């Protein structure tokens, strides 16, 4: 992975049977796990296929997977905005009501399309897990909100316990996001933007993919000009900054889905 | 300052307004209340729309509780029906016990009396607050509501102003036929705060909409003091970010935009809309009114 030191990973969508469930019952422990050639030492026997390697998708699982995707993907496709097309336009000249992810070459557009696809896969897990929880009332008590959020956080973190940086902000997408941000910060208002973003932001916070967003860290402002130029997300996901890092925050689960280290260019 | 001295100063400073209040029985009740009641200099007319504004309050500190006591005392004689919250509703931990300590307990009397709180989110607020019933956000991080036919509020999420939110605001402002369009959010687009100050990037996006769609008043927080900003392009702006935290001495006196600034105690705003006028008082922990005035609504193209 150029530039960020994260390991090379490829991903496949699998469904893993839980050890303590009935044979025909499947729980979503992980729908998106790194493909490995060797299993970790503590891997549960049920997820190892010695002949085909760790997390190999068996025929039966493949059927289940296809069924799951057949059900989940159309819903997620409806929810996830279309990836941005290649364009010569930029957000700098667009009205504030319009999002322009650009300028963007064909290759960059393709990189962001892959990121979009990874986001969709993430949301399959997210939605699947959220559906298994009591519905969050729009007029809830603190107890309901807290219980829902912490349970969701736990399930999400369990489901993605093998998550790595770069799963959503892929190695191809990351430089595109960096370039788009750099273009905004390089503008005449770059200093004001930086001040707005860094307002009350602590430095030196260590982030973990799939970790809980730190409770004591206020959320950063993400100025409108930045939101205009980043790919659109669903309602449950937000871009935020922690220090100079750009994070992808799952606002329902309170979890950092992925992040780009030092995404804000140094002054 | 001793309570009697406070009352004496207020009587001298607000004699004309207090005269009007005496007729409605407000001033005569002031001395009897516990804690010391603010000397309210508002018309307090039957049928007018009365509301409060509070920001940056959810600390759970003694100071917050003392200001809350003034809000409670005020409600005894000035029956405001709602409070607009301009963000930073809970600082730090947001466990169930924090909602109680930092919100439900200090404002219990108001909540029990049926006063509705409408929240906007600040940078210290977990996004989950939008599901909290007493904040009346209906699960939305930005929303609009109309407590009266002639008044409409617009609550914005200023930490995350996506283009879709801007488009939504434009559409809602345009569609609103209310005489009073009041927008509230956390990050000030006009403020003399040395710590934060004006967010010019937000201003570039929001101000043209406020002007075009005839916004009447803008309520903001984030800077921990009170400031009434001189009308900017004919729109009055307030910073009311001292509901629980104070940044003493933080107003830049040289900013040139301050009509009235107060950064030596916590404060909240009480307001009353009567026809084309909005009367307001800003009241401290000690019950002192540190700013007061009347705004006449912008008429523009709105009938």
């Amino acid at each position: 992975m150029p530039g960020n030191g994260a390991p090379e990973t490829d991903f496949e969508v699998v469904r893993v049977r839980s050890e303590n469930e009935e044979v025909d019952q499947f729980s979503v422990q992980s729908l998106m796990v790194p493909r490995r050639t060797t299993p970790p030492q503590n891997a549960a026997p049920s997820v190892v296929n010695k002949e085909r390697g760790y997390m190999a998708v068996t025929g039966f699982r493949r059927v289940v997977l296809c069924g799951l995707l057949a059900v989940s993907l159309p819903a997620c496709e409806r929810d996830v905005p279309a990836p941005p097309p290649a364009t010569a336009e930029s957000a700098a000249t667009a009205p504030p009501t319009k999002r322009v992810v650009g300028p963007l070459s064909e290759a960059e557009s393709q990189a962001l399309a892959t990121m979009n696809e990874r986001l969709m896969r993430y949301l399959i897990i997210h939605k699947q897990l959220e559906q298994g929880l009591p519905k969050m009332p729009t007029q809830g008590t603190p107890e309901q909100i807290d219980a829902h959020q912490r349970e969701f956080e736990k399930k999400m973190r369990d489901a993605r316990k093998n998550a790595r940086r770069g799963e959503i902000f892929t190695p191809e997408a990351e430089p595109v996001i960096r370039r788009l941000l750099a273009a905004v910060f390089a503008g005449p208002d770059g200093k004001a933007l930086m001040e707005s973003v860094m307002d009350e932001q602590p430095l030196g916070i260590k982030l973990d993919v799939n970790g809980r967003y730190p409770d004591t860290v206020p959320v950063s402002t993400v100025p409108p000009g930045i939101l205009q130029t980043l790919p659109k997300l669903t309602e449950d996901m937000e871009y935020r900054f922690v220090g100079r890092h750009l994070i992808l925050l799952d606002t329902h689960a309170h979890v950092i889905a992925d992040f780009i280290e030092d995404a804000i260019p140094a002054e | 300052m001793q309570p009697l001295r406070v009352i004496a100063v207020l009587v001298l400073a607000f004699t004309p307004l207090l005269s009007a209040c005496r007729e409605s029985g407000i001033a005569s009740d002031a001395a009897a209340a516990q804690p010391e009641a603010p000397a309210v200099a508002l018309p307090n007319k039957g049928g007018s729309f009365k509301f409060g504004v509070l920001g940056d309050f959810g600390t759970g500190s003694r100071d917050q509780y003392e200001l809350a006591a003034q809000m409670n005392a005020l409600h005894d004689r000035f029956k405001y029906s709602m409070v607009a919250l301009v963000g930073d509703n809970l600082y730090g931990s947001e466990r169930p016990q924090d909602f109680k300590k930092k919100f439900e307990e200090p404002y219990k009397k108001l909540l029990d009396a049926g006063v509705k709180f409408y929240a906007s989110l600040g940078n210290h607020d977990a996004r989950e607050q939008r599901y909290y019933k007493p904040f009346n956000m209906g699960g939305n991080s930005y929303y609009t509501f109309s407590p009266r036919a002639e008044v409409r509020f617009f609550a914005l999420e200023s930490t995350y102003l996506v283009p879709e939110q801007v488009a939504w605001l434009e559409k809602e402002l345009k569609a609103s036929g209310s005489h009073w369009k009041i927008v509230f959010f956390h990050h000030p687009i006009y403020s003399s705060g040395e710590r934060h100050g004006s967010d010019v990037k937000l201003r570039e996006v929001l101000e043209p909409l406020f002007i075009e769609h005839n916004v009447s008043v803008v309520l903001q927080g984030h800077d921990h003091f009170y400031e009434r900003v001189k009308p900017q392009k004919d729109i009055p702006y307030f910073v009311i970010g001292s509901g629980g935290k104070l940044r003493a001495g933080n107003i830049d006196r040289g900013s040139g935009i301050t009509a009235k600034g107060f950064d030596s105690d916590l404060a909240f705003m009480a307001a009353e809309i009567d026809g084309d006028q909005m009367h307001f008082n800003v009241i401290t922990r000690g019950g002192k009114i540190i700013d007061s005035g009347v705004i006449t609504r912008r008429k523009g193209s709105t009938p």
Side-chain angles (χ1 to χ4, degrees):
Chain A
M1 183 176 296
N4 62 14
E8 288 279 358
T9 52
D10 188 11
F11 296 89
E12 59 184 355
V13 177
V14 297
R15 206 160 181 201
V16 181
R17 187 170 61 188
S18 170
E19 285 181 298
N20 55 6
E21 288 185 312
E22 299 295 328
V23 174
D24 58 347
Q25 296 283 316
F26 287 80
S27 71
V28 181
Q29 275 191 0
S30 177
L31 286 168
M32 187 165 63
V33 295
R35 179 184 289 141
R36 298 180 186 177
T37 52
T38 54
Q41 288 183 345
N42 58 353
S46 63
V47 301
V48 179
N49 179 320
K50 287 181 181 172
E51 290 182 2
R52 303 184 63 196
Y54 178 61
M55 291 295 184
V57 182
T58 65
F60 182 63
R61 285 182 186 143
R62 199 182 299 274
V63 170
V64 173
L65 168 65
C66 290
L68 176 69
L69 289 178
V71 171
S72 305
L73 275 175
C76 283
E77 277 172 356
R78 278 197 303 274
D79 292 343
V80 176
T87 178
E89 278 188 87
S90 103
T93 53
T97 52
K98 188 180 174 191
R99 184 187 304 271
V100 178
V101 185
L104 218 55
S105 70
E106 285 291 347
E108 289 172 327
S109 171
Q110 185 52 50
L112 294 186
T114 306
M115 174 180 139
N116 215 51
E117 187 189 318
R118 297 291 176 84
L119 181 66
M120 190 156 62
R121 291 184 188 186
Y122 179 92
L123 287 168
I124 291 172
I125 309 172
H126 173 106
K127 289 187 185 304
Q128 187 85 10
L129 295 178
E130 195 162 38
Q131 281 167 9
L133 294 171
K135 188 169 167 51
M136 173 78 97
T138 55
Q139 301 271 293
T141 65
E143 288 78 12
Q144 285 174 313
I145 295 166
D146 190 61
H148 183 281
Q149 184 261 299
R150 286 178 193 276
E151 181 65 13
F152 194 9
E153 177 205 340
K154 181 178 181 304
K155 284 179 179 291
M156 200 72 218
R157 294 181 66 183
D158 285 349
R160 296 186 73 228
K161 58 188 170 193
N162 296 315
R164 297 282 189 278
R165 192 157 76 80
E167 284 190 9
I168 300 173
F169 289 130
T170 62
E172 295 76 21
E174 184 178 315
V176 184
I177 299 289
R178 284 182 186 278
R179 188 184 60 72
L180 291 169
L181 288 176
V184 180
F185 282 104
D189 299 320
K191 188 170 181 292
L193 271 176
M194 186 74 82
E195 285 172 359
S196 179
V197 168
M198 298 305 285
D199 180 29
E200 295 192 47
Q201 279 297 296
L203 294 173
I205 296 278
K206 185 181 178 305
L207 298 179
D208 292 314
V209 167
N210 205 30
R212 181 177 172 82
Y213 182 86
D215 288 325
T216 53
V217 176
V219 292
S220 69
T221 299
V222 187
I226 291 176
L227 292 168
Q228 261 188 288
T229 198
L230 292 177
K232 188 177 177 182
L233 301 172
T234 54
E235 175 272 335
D236 4 42
M237 308 296 288
E238 288 182 352
Y239 300 105
R240 294 286 180 179
F241 293 99
V242 177
R244 290 177 51 227
H245 314 310
L246 177 73
I247 69 165
L248 193 55
L249 178 64
D250 183 332
T251 61
H252 289 196
H254 218 82
V255 161
I256 297 170
D258 202 355
F259 67 93
I260 297 177
E261 223 166 27
D262 296 327
I264 298 179
E267 285 181 273
Chain B
M1 190 178 283
Q2 296 300 312
L4 287 175
R5 187 180 292 178
V6 172
I7 292 170
V9 168
L10 290 172
V11 168
L12 287 173
F14 299 101
T15 297
L17 286 169
L18 285 171
S19 299
C21 293
R22 279 190 200 102
E23 291 177 15
S24 57
I26 299 167
S28 59
D29 290 343
Q34 290 298 329
E36 180 193 354
V40 178
L42 294 164
N44 201 20
K45 282 189 181 173
S48 65
F49 175 66
K50 304 172 186 72
F51 67 103
V53 186
L54 182 67
D56 304 72
F57 56 93
T59 59
S61 67
R62 182 177 170 180
D63 290 352
Q64 180 197 359
Y65 276 63
E66 287 176 354
L67 188 68
Q70 289 297 341
M71 294 179 72
N72 292 335
L74 175 68
H75 191 259
D76 288 342
R77 58 195 52 78
F78 180 75
K79 297 292 183 193
Y80 52 100
S81 59
M82 62 155 275
V83 179
L85 303 176
V86 295
D88 282 2
N89 311 314
L90 275 87
Y91 286 95
S93 168
E94 299 198 14
R95 300 301 297 253
Q97 58 268 33
D98 295 302
F99 279 82
K100 288 182 174 53
K101 184 184 175 193
K102 299 170 186 174
F103 179 70
E104 293 175 11
E105 287 172 10
Y107 310 108
K108 183 176 188 307
K109 191 176 169 188
L110 297 176
L111 290 164
D112 289 347
V115 174
K116 295 188 90 173
F117 290 75
Y118 291 90
S120 58
L121 297 178
N123 55 312
H124 285 269
D125 297 319
R127 309 294 100 184
E128 292 86 352
Q129 284 185 20
R130 60 192 152 150
Y131 300 108
Y132 178 48
K133 184 177 181 182
F135 283 172
N136 290 293
M137 301 177 76
N140 303 303
S141 54
Y142 53 92
Y143 60 102
T144 178
F145 62 98
S146 178
R148 290 280 186 94
E150 71 274 21
V151 181
R152 179 165 284 278
F153 286 85
F154 303 84
L156 304 184
E157 203 320 22
S158 62
T159 72
Y160 206 72
L161 200 67
V162 284
E164 294 75 22
Q165 185 182 178
V166 181
W168 168 87
L169 178 64
E170 184 171 34
K171 177 173 158 280
E172 293 294 335
L173 285 173
K174 191 176 179 181
S176 172
S178 296
H179 290 174
W180 287 89
K181 297 179 185 177
I182 302 173
V183 183
F184 66 103
F185 51 92
H186 188 60
H187 291 85
I189 64 173
Y190 284 103
S191 165
S192 300
E194 288 178 339
R195 175 69 179 83
H196 299 301
S198 307
D199 191 320
V200 293
K201 301 311 291 179
L202 277 179
R203 186 197 297 170
E204 283 173 13
V205 175
L206 294 176
E207 188 175 47
L209 296 179
F210 295 169
I211 295 167
E212 183 180 353
H213 299 291
N214 210 25
V215 164
S216 318
V217 184
V218 178
L219 309 169
Q220 320 159 107
H222 200 39
D223 271 318
H224 297 166
F225 51 67
Y226 166 75
E227 182 181 21
R228 173 162 51 89
V229 176
K230 290 175 186 170
Q232 300 293 316
K233 301 185 173 72
D234 206 26
I235 298 176
Y237 290 82
F238 291 90
V239 178
I240 309 151
S242 53
K245 281 199 169 188
L246 178 70
R247 200 162 281 127
N250 195 245
I251 295 177
D252 174 6
R253 263 66 184 175
S255 73
I257 63 169
T258 307
K260 172 75 181 181
F262 181 75
D263 57 5
S264 55
D265 196 2
L266 304 188
F268 73 97
M269 175 186 278
E272 179 174 1
I273 291 176
D274 181 30
D276 287 345
Q277 293 191 315
M278 182 180 117
H279 303 255
F280 65 90
N281 281 182
V282 178
I283 301 162
T284 68
R285 252 184 329 156
K288 183 178 176 184
I289 298 173
I290 48 90
D291 193 20
S292 185
V294 181
I295 294 165
T296 301
R297 80 174 174 94
R298 300 171 67 227
K299 293 192 176 165
S301 57
T302 304

